Amino acid sequence: MSLRDHPKAYGTAALTVAFAAGILITLGFKDFYPDLEKRYQTQRKRLTRKPSGVQFRRSSIFFDQSALEPVELEDHEEEDEGDYRPVADGIEGCIGNTPLIKIRSLSEATGCIILAKVEFLNGAGQSPKDRVALNMIREAEEKGLLVPHRGDTIYEGTVGSTGISIAALARALGYKAHICMPDDQSKEKSDLLHHLGATVERVPVAPITSPDHFVNLARRRAKEHTESSADSSRGFFADQFESEANFRAHVKTTGPEIYAQAEGRVDAFVAGAGTGGTLSGIAKYLKEDRSLSKLRVVLADPQGSGLYNRVKHGVMYSSTEREGTRRRTQVDTIVEGIGINRITDNFEAGRELVDDAARVTDEQACRMARWLVENDGIFAGSSSAVNCVAAVATALSLPKGSRVVTILADSGTRHLSKFWKHVAEMGLEEEEHQDLLTTLGLQQYQ
């Protein structure tokens, strides 16, 4: 008599065999599982590691991706860990990956989405110049021009922000800093440089043709250091206006971050230019490297600067250069950090990519700065305010729903004694503003 003649007995035996086989398979799989788990955890970390602001699905691929579709896994063992940075190696590890935020009040007023890269949240000197300073130092080290802890000093002529970034990074990376700056800049900048351990020379304002111009003085001081050094130390002139390490810093970091955070959807990029590195570097990445051919790049220029006319009319010319009105100092604005009356190598690197320019008055900049505090809680500096005015003007020329990206380059904390003092003197802190475009004098563009 066989089991087939007794179906009930046959079913029981089959179930027993299947159960035993399941146990054996499970035991065998258990030996394989640790490697599988390791692969899962490695793949999960790789897929959830992201540039700031970019969201990825949490998933894992157990097997060859080319052979099978990805297997979606739900992680029930851990709570959501959040978007935390790993431990940074020194203050230089806190540079980059700054947030890209939507400025709600500006977006609502224009019907476009106005996004701002908050560069004053960089971790060393709190400006986009952190990226520039670090890249200039690293490239100089690669060329052997700087050697840590040899006694080398970094010299730079700056209106403040680049000097602050250099001063902070110099101490962190084993150097000294010597900063030359014009004496019409806000006092809190030179005070901060001093507290960061830099040697500070405040010099009278002079044209770039003068050997006493703050940039030319810094170049001379670096040369004097190297020639007179009793030890092996050297003086290194950073030369932020002409060094290509400036715009390359933004090609390598800021541009890719903006592209990733905005998910590749940018209709216009708006920024001011001092050295021109930020504008050129980001424009080059977005237009050339990512082929955003329809992207509009717009220069935000304060009153008195000649760059607006360079972009709009092809010549460096301002109203202060008319016969009988030419002044020794051409740029007449309370805005610091942007606006210039000469073409730098960094600006020239991306000049052909700039489509338009917007001129911003000091009054508009002050009104925008106050508007941002009242409506968005953003305490901006002068160049950030100029950028935002130009971003609004640009948005009004674009179809509704367009995405405009600009830069919040500086916090208002570095502009208390000059720019924000002027805001107060204008009585803007007591006024209530209901309509942005009327406040800025842009209602005619509605």
Side-chain angles (χ1 to χ4, degrees), residues 52-56 100 115 256-266 292 403:
S52 60
V54 182
Q55 301 298 322
F56 292 98
L100 184 70
L115 307 173
E257 289 173 24
I258 288 173
Y259 184 82
Q261 290 168 321
E263 298 176 327
R265 294 184 292 128
V266 183
L292 297 182
R403 294 162 70 91

Side-chain angles (χ1 to χ4, degrees), residues 326-372:
R326 183 173 177 82
R327 298 194 308 270
R328 185 174 179 82
T329 304
Q330 292 298 306
V331 178
D332 184 13
T333 178
I334 61 171
V335 174
E336 298 179 4
I338 58 175
I340 195 173
N341 269 329
R342 60 189 175 90
I343 296 294
T344 66
D345 286 349
N346 279 285
F347 184 81
E348 190 64 23
R351 183 176 60 84
E352 295 299 324
L353 302 175
V354 180
D355 301 290
D356 202 357
R359 173 165 285 160
V360 178
T361 66
D362 284 354
E363 180 179 352
Q364 287 175 315
C366 290
R367 289 184 177 279
M368 173 58 79
R370 188 59 202 164
W371 175 276
L372 291 172

Side-chain angles (χ1 to χ4, degrees), residues 51-74:
S52 60
V54 182
Q55 301 298 322
F56 292 98
R57 299 174 66 189
R58 174 176 288 180
S59 62
S60 176
I61 303 172
F62 276 177
F63 305 103
D64 182 4
Q65 187 174 9
S66 63
L68 295 174
E69 290 297 319
V71 178
E72 296 292 334
L73 297 179
E74 293 185 8

